[in-house]
Amino acid sequence: MADAVSPQTAPADAAHGSQGHGAGGGDAHGHGHNPFLAHHFETMSQQFDSGKLGMWLFLGTEILLFGGLFCAYAIWRGNHPEIFHAGHQHLNKTLGAINTVVLLLSSFTMAWAVRCAQTSNRNGLILGLTLTLLGGFGFMGIKYFEYSEKIAHGYRPGKYYAPKHDAAHAATPAAAAGHAAAPAADAHAPAPAAAASDGHASGAQTAAAGSEHAATPPPAATPPAVAGGADAPKILPAAVAPGGLAAQPAGAGHGGEDTPNVHLYFSIYFCLTGLHGIHVLAGMTVIAWLLMRSVRGDFSSAYFDPVDLGGLYWHLVDLIWIYLFPLLYLID
C-alpha cells in the first residue's frame, strides 16, 4: 500500500519546488504550503513514510502483545485439553461466525475507503468509512449479547465462575430427598418423647431394660478398611496436580460442568476477546474521526495519510479475530 501512495506526494513536492522553496518546498520557515504538512517534515513524502514506519512499529508491538497471549493459550491447551474441550461447548459458534463475516466485510469497505481517498472520491470515502463504522458497531453489538448470555449463565472468569446448572442441581428432587432422609436415619435411636408418653411403663421394667443394656458387651471395634487390600503397598500414590490449578469440586451436570477448572477457559476467553474488543472500540473511534474529517473535505489524492494508516490498524484488528475465532470457537 505504501507503493500505491508514493505518487500522491509528487505533485505536492513539485509544486513546492516550483515556488522556489527547495526540495521540500515551503515558506520562510521551510514548510510546504500544504496545510497538512507538519512543521518537522521537509516534504509530504517524508511525512507519509515516517507515519507509515511508526504505524508498522506500533502494529509490531500489538502483534507481540497478542502473540504472547496466543503462546499462553497454546501452553494451557497443551497441558489441559479437557478444559478447553469442555469450555468451548458453551460458546455460540453461529454468533462467532457472523462476527467473522461482519469484520471481513468491514475490512473490505475500509480498503475501498482508502482507495477512494487515493482517487479523491469523497462520496465513496464517506460511504466506505460509514459502512466500516457500522460493521464495528455490529461486531460489538453481537459481542454484547454473547457476553450477556455467558454472564447470565454463570460462565464467568476465575472465581466468579458459577454455572447456573449447579444451583439447579441443588434443588433437584434427589437432593431434596437426601436432605429429607437424614431425620429418618435417627428413627432407630431411642425416642425420649415416646418413652415419656408411655406412662404405663413401670420403674422395674425400666431398671430391667437398663440392666440388660448394661450387661450387653459393646461390639468389637472393626479395623478400618485399607484401600486396595493386600495389594495396597503396590499401588502408586496419586499424581499431584500442577501448580496454579486450585482444586475445584466437579459439578454434577452435563455439557462440561463435570470437568474441573473450566473457569480457566473462560478466563482466557474473556481476556482474549475483551482485549480484542478494546482494540475494536479504538479502531471505531479512529474511523469516526476519519469520517468527520472526510465530511469536512480534508482528504484527497494529495493527502490521505490518516485514512491509509487507520486502514492498516483496522486490518490488524480483523486479522487478530481471524485467529481468535477458530482457536476459541471451533477447535475441539
Side-chain angles (χ1 to χ4, degrees):
M1 192 170 292
D3 296 335
V5 298
S6 298
Q8 59 101 8
T9 57
D13 294 342
H16 298 160
S18 65
Q19 295 172 8
H21 297 296
D27 52 17
H29 302 286
H31 300 162
H33 291 288
N34 193 320
F36 300 111
L37 178 64
H39 69 279
H40 49 282
F41 293 111
E42 295 294 334
T43 64
M44 292 294 290
S45 177
Q46 183 188 49
Q47 175 177 277
F48 178 81
D49 292 340
S50 300
K52 199 112 179 183
L53 176 61
M55 174 55 72
W56 277 114
L57 290 176
F58 171 70
L59 296 183
T61 62
E62 293 290 301
I63 293 175
L64 289 176
L65 172 63
F66 280 95
L69 294 175
F70 285 146
C71 287
Y73 167 91
I75 293 173
W76 276 107
R77 187 177 190 100
N79 291 332
H80 308 284
E82 73 283 356
I83 295 176
F84 291 82
H85 172 75
H88 98 289
Q89 299 180 25
H90 301 289
L91 299 186
N92 193 321
K93 297 179 179 60
T94 301
L95 293 181
I98 293 175
N99 257 349
T100 302
V101 174
V102 168
L103 277 189
L104 287 177
L105 290 177
S106 70
S107 190
F108 170 77
T109 56
M110 188 68 212
W112 180 48
V114 173
R115 181 58 185 165
C116 290
Q118 293 174 351
T119 56
S120 299
N121 183 356
R122 181 167 171 266
N123 292 333
L125 173 61
I126 294 174
L127 180 59
L129 292 176
T130 302
L131 293 177
T132 305
L133 187 60
L134 291 177
F137 277 112
F139 179 88
M140 294 306 298
I142 294 175
K143 211 64 195 166
Y144 168 78
F145 287 112
E146 271 197 274
Y147 276 12
S148 299
E149 181 189 13
K150 297 295 175 295
I151 293 174
H153 288 82
Y155 299 123
R156 310 184 191 102
K159 64 179 182 181
Y160 302 104
Y161 178 77
K164 297 299 183 182
H165 177 80
D166 291 343
H169 172 73
T172 56
H179 291 294
D186 298 333
H188 300 288
S197 63
D198 189 4
H200 302 287
S202 63
Q205 291 174 339
T206 304
S211 61
E212 180 181 354
H213 285 290
T216 304
T222 303
V226 178
D231 297 334
K234 301 178 182 179
I235 299 176
L236 297 176
V240 180
L245 284 179
Q248 183 190 40
H254 54 273
E257 285 86 355
D258 288 335
T259 304
N261 297 311
V262 180
H263 64 285
L264 292 175
Y265 173 83
F266 287 97
S267 297
I268 295 175
Y269 166 78
F270 279 102
C271 177
L272 287 175
T273 58
L275 186 61
H276 176 263
I278 292 175
H279 282 72
V280 173
L281 289 176
M284 293 172 61
T285 303
V286 171
I287 293 173
W289 173 68
L290 293 174
L291 180 60
M292 181 185 65
R293 294 191 62 181
S294 300
V295 173
R296 197 168 59 191
D298 288 349
F299 304 122
S300 64
S301 60
Y303 175 69
F304 55 85
D305 304 7
V307 180
D308 192 274
L309 301 181
L312 279 178
Y313 177 79
W314 190 254
H315 294 323
L316 177 70
V317 171
D318 296 350
L319 181 64
I320 292 173
W321 178 256
I322 295 301
Y323 284 95
L324 287 179
F325 174 58
L327 289 178
L328 295 175
Y329 289 76
L330 300 182
I331 297 179
D332 192 357

